[in-house]
Amino acid sequence: QPPVAVCQNITVSANANCQGNAAAADFNNGSSDPNSDPLTFSVAPAGPFALGNTSVVLTASDGNSNSTCAASIQVNDVTPPTAICQNITLQLDPTGNVGITANLVDNGSTDACGVPTLDIVQTGYNCLHIGNNNVDLTVTDANNNTSSCTAIVTVQDNVPPVANCQNL
């Protein structure tokens, strides 16, 4: 008599390569053999598995015959990206203003599962911001995992004033 394959769906977290791993036996949910023969398991396709949901077929074998069942593996990205900041120095323009983007304070932030997005709250500086200012860089990956770091934005005013004189 063939074995009876009984499957279960599983969920795993992605590894550093943004893939999930599982052994064939992880999909087993009480498979049995009517003759009490020991069972071995195989799964197709074999891992590693991509992010998201992948359908698999579990094969239970007793050495003489096989039985199969269908299952799935859900691979979730739960690892936040790595936020890396750099300090910058800015010079106010002749109107007393300067603007920045998140890319200016980013120093190579990364994510194993793709290119993260970068965001900062304050993008404009003026004469009120001369000196050191903390700016938080938020790095978000495609799966909404976030991390942040703080950079120092040093604002300088090295533009001399313009003196306009008139004769009296």
Side-chain angles (χ1 to χ4, degrees):
Q1 291 180 323
V4 176
V6 180
C7 287
Q8 66 181 348
N9 300 329
I10 63 171
T11 300
V12 297
S13 296
N15 60 22
N17 295 322
C18 206
Q19 299 173 325
N21 293 308
D26 295 335
F27 296 96
N28 179 35
N29 192 26
S31 300
S32 61
D33 186 77
N35 303 317
S36 298
D37 292 333
L39 296 176
T40 59
F41 300 99
S42 63
V43 66
F49 301 96
L51 283 179
N53 199 21
T54 302
S55 296
V56 298
V57 174
L58 177 70
T59 301
S61 177
D62 64 4
N64 297 312
S65 57
N66 300 327
S67 176
T68 62
C69 59
S72 67
I73 180 171
Q74 175 69 39
V75 179
N76 295 325
D77 176 15
V78 296
T79 304
T82 302
I84 305 171
C85 285
Q86 65 182 348
N87 299 332
I88 61 173
T89 300
L90 304 172
Q91 175 60 48
L92 293 175
D93 66 16
T95 66
N97 295 290
V98 65
I100 67 169
T101 64
N103 289 333
L104 289 176
V105 296
D106 179 51
N107 195 24
S109 299
T110 61
D111 185 65
C113 296
V115 178
T117 59
L118 308 173
D119 187 47
I120 56 175
V121 174
Q122 184 167 353
T123 59
Y125 295 87
N126 58 38
C127 295
L128 298 174
H129 300 103
I130 292 173
N132 292 339
N133 302 272
N134 289 340
V135 61
D136 292 327
L137 173 69
T138 301
V139 181
T140 306
D141 69 15
N143 297 294
N144 291 320
N145 299 304
T146 63
S147 65
S148 62
C149 57
T150 301
I152 297 173
V153 175
T154 302
V155 177
Q156 296 179 339
D157 179 12
N158 293 327
V159 177
V162 175
N164 294 321
C165 298
Q166 68 180 1
N167 295 328
L168 297 175

